[in-house]
């Protein structure tokens, strides 16, 4: 899934109805699995790699795959949940829960770019037949599913957000995702 989709869906599903809302721990946990990818992209751009090489060669190279595995680890997210609750640092529990929710959303929507979700226990990758972007692997279906989930989460979140600024940011993110969707499935 696209990173903003994770932020929106996780916030809708995990945000508490009463204070503390845990907004920031949820957003941070939703972002952590993809954080290394942004570092990778910056590194690849700084090296002057062409866009195609970045996503079809460099992305699959070591040590990047090993680095991506850490952020995408379900056991690591569960450890965050366990530590958060045993140490009564509930914000940490929400970071971990949001990481796990991100992983569970990625599991059915990644084909050959699937993550090693069970690091460090196993390097196995679940190759889903459906991709969230690759039109050779039902990408239109995956992208539609992702957009529907984002729109439902947005409809739920918008009236519940407290500040105008946060509503504008959410709306802008959804418009961007919508444009990306049209570019992918359009003619
Ligand atoms: Zn992800």
């Amino acid at each position: 899934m696209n990173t903003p989709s994770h932020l929106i869906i996780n916030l809708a599903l995990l945000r508490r109805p009463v204070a503390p809302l845990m907004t920031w721990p949820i957003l941070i946990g939703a972002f952590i699995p993809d954080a290394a990818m942004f570092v990778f992209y910056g590194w690849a751009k700084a090296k002057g790699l062409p866009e195609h090489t970045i996503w079809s060669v460099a992305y699959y190279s070591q040590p990047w795959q090993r680095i991506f595995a850490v952020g995408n680890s379900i056991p690591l997210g569960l450890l965050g949940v366990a530590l958060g609750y045993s140490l009564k640092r509930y914000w940490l529990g929400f970071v971990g829960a949001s990481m796990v929710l991100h992983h569970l959303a990625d599991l059915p929507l990644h084909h050959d770019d699937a993550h090693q979700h069970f690091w460090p226990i196993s390097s196995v990758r679940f190759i889903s037949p459906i991709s969230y972007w690759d039109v050779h692997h039902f990408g239109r279906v995956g992208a539609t599913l992702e957009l529907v989930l984002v729109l439902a989460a947005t409809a739920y979140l918008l009236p519940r957000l407290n500040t105008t600024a946060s509503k504008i940011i959410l709306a802008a993110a959804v418009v961007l995702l919508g444009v990306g969707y049209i570019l992918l499935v359009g003619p």
Side-chain angles (χ1 to χ4, degrees):
M1 266 193 191
N2 293 294
T3 308
S5 304
H6 286 294
L7 301 189
I8 295 166
I9 293 167
N10 285 17
L11 204 55
L13 286 174
L14 296 175
R15 197 165 177 261
R16 299 180 74 247
V18 290
L21 302 175
M22 296 288 179
T23 301
W24 281 105
I26 294 164
L27 290 178
I28 290 166
F31 180 74
I32 286 174
D34 290 346
M37 204 182 58
F38 286 92
V39 177
F40 158 76
Y41 189 66
W43 166 86
K45 277 291 185 195
K47 285 199 73 171
L49 297 181
E51 207 71 14
H52 179 76
T53 311
I54 291 175
W55 296 115
S56 58
V57 182
Y59 179 85
Y60 296 96
S61 68
Q62 301 293 356
W64 284 109
Q65 280 296 315
R66 267 196 293 274
I67 295 169
F68 296 148
V70 179
N72 284 289
S73 163
I74 291 176
L76 203 63
L78 290 175
L79 182 68
V81 174
L83 280 178
Y85 280 82
S86 57
L87 301 173
K88 294 199 167 31
R89 297 281 186 273
Y90 296 116
W91 61 268
L92 179 60
F94 273 81
V95 171
S98 190
M99 285 174 69
V100 173
L101 189 57
H102 179 138
H103 305 324
L104 294 180
D106 274 350
L107 253 175
L109 291 173
H110 282 251
H111 183 70
D112 46 20
D113 56 352
H115 302 299
Q116 297 171 40
H117 282 302
F118 305 100
W119 183 90
I121 296 164
S122 161
S123 61
V124 75
R125 303 187 304 147
F126 173 69
I127 306 295
S128 169
I130 302 171
S131 163
Y132 74 103
W133 64 272
D134 190 344
V135 291
H136 301 296
H137 298 285
F138 302 104
R140 289 184 181 87
V141 176
T144 304
L145 186 67
E146 176 175 328
L147 191 68
V148 167
L149 290 173
V150 167
L151 291 176
T154 303
Y156 173 81
L157 274 176
L158 261 185
R160 288 172 172 80
L161 293 181
N162 299 321
T163 66
T164 310
S166 56
K167 290 181 190 198
I168 291 172
I169 293 170
L170 174 59
V174 175
V175 168
L176 273 178
L177 287 165
V179 170
Y181 175 77
I182 291 166
L183 289 175
L184 181 77
V185 304

